[in-house]
Amino acid sequence: MTELVSTAAVQYPVESLPELWFAFVFAVLGAYLLLDGFDFGVGMLYARADGDERETMHAAFGPVWKANEVWLVLFGTVLFAAFPAVYANVLSRHYLLIFAILAALVLRGIGSKLREERDSDRWHRVCDRSFVAGSTLAPFFLGMLVANWRFGFESTINGTAIAVGLLLVTLSVVLGASFLTIKTRGDLRRTMRRYGRLGSVGYVAVSLATIGYIALAEPGGSPAPSTAETAAAVGGTIAFAALGIVANRRRRDYGWALSVAGLALVFVGYLAWTMRPFVDPAAALSIREAVVSPVALEVNSIVAVTFVPLIIGYFVLLYSVFSGPATAGDY
């Protein structure tokens, strides 16, 4: 009781500052899922491409994929800066998943960067398989980590974690197809449009299956999402998927990309909205209980307001410079 009173008595320069940082954590996570998600999708779609198409796909995402991983680093930094107890708890409970995510990212990097180091068909096959495997496993393991965090699981492997992992894999395929539709031309572009339509339908199906499983299993140590929250998420997912398919068929590629980004927004928004007021359900830590002291949070806010706009400006510049269509000769 004393702890609750003292927590409630803490004063912040802006009263809602802890909740704003909670939202900021998930905004950064959403940016990473969106930007590196299409990289993962490119890697998975790479398995269906031939030689020239693979060169074009490498050229399409090559200038930006390493920069996109900045958002993963920023996510860890922001979580540690605002909620260090949550950072410690989640990483210690699921450290094997963290290592699995890093190993998958290494596999993807090896496959992409070392492919041209040797002029050997066998070497190229090894690197290509590494690239596809890393691009598939990274979002799967990331989805497992997110599910375990949200639902407060102590164990790493469970049905909900696997379902959310598959959900993120499917979302990444749709993101990758949308990105390649903007960055490529000709037959490859038409193929990506077709994969994107199929992937959108698949994402809705996997979303419904995942939500149904969660509703039946009532998993983890935190309360299950309410019916109204789930209905809003399902409605938003179906609406963005439908708008995306319509834009896809009408060849409005940027409209389709915005709709696919909406799918990622709904996923992260549902995750954050249904987690609150907790930030670590497994430890029953609320946002106010887990946040750092007012002075530390105020300093963090000053740093964030200073540097985050610079990061965003850099990405705007980066994507502006590499905004045109890619060709196999660019790789």
Side-chain angles (χ1 to χ4, degrees), residues 32-45 60-61 64-65 68 108 171-180 319:
Y32 176 68
L33 291 179
L34 177 63
L35 294 177
D36 220 14
F38 74 69
D39 292 337
F40 298 143
V42 170
M44 286 182 272
L45 293 166
F61 88 106
V64 298
W65 71 275
N68 291 338
R108 182 183 66 161
L171 177 60
S172 296
V173 170
V174 183
L175 287 166
S178 175
F179 175 74
L180 288 172
Y319 278 85

Side-chain angles (χ1 to χ4, degrees), residues 276-329:
R276 67 184 231 298
F278 296 103
V279 69
D280 186 4
L285 279 177
S286 70
I287 297 170
R288 293 270 170 166
E289 291 169 340
V291 74
V292 294
S293 68
V295 173
L297 199 62
E298 186 173 2
V299 172
N300 291 342
S301 300
I302 294 172
V303 173
V305 169
T306 303
F307 287 100
V308 171
L310 296 178
I311 296 173
I312 294 173
Y314 166 75
F315 272 84
V316 170
L317 177 62
L318 176 68
Y319 278 85
S320 299
V321 170
F322 297 102
S323 60
T327 61

Side-chain angles (χ1 to χ4, degrees), residues 253-270:
D253 297 325
Y254 286 96
W256 178 32
L258 289 174
S259 297
V260 175
L263 293 176
L265 176 64
V266 170
F267 174 83
V268 176
Y270 179 68

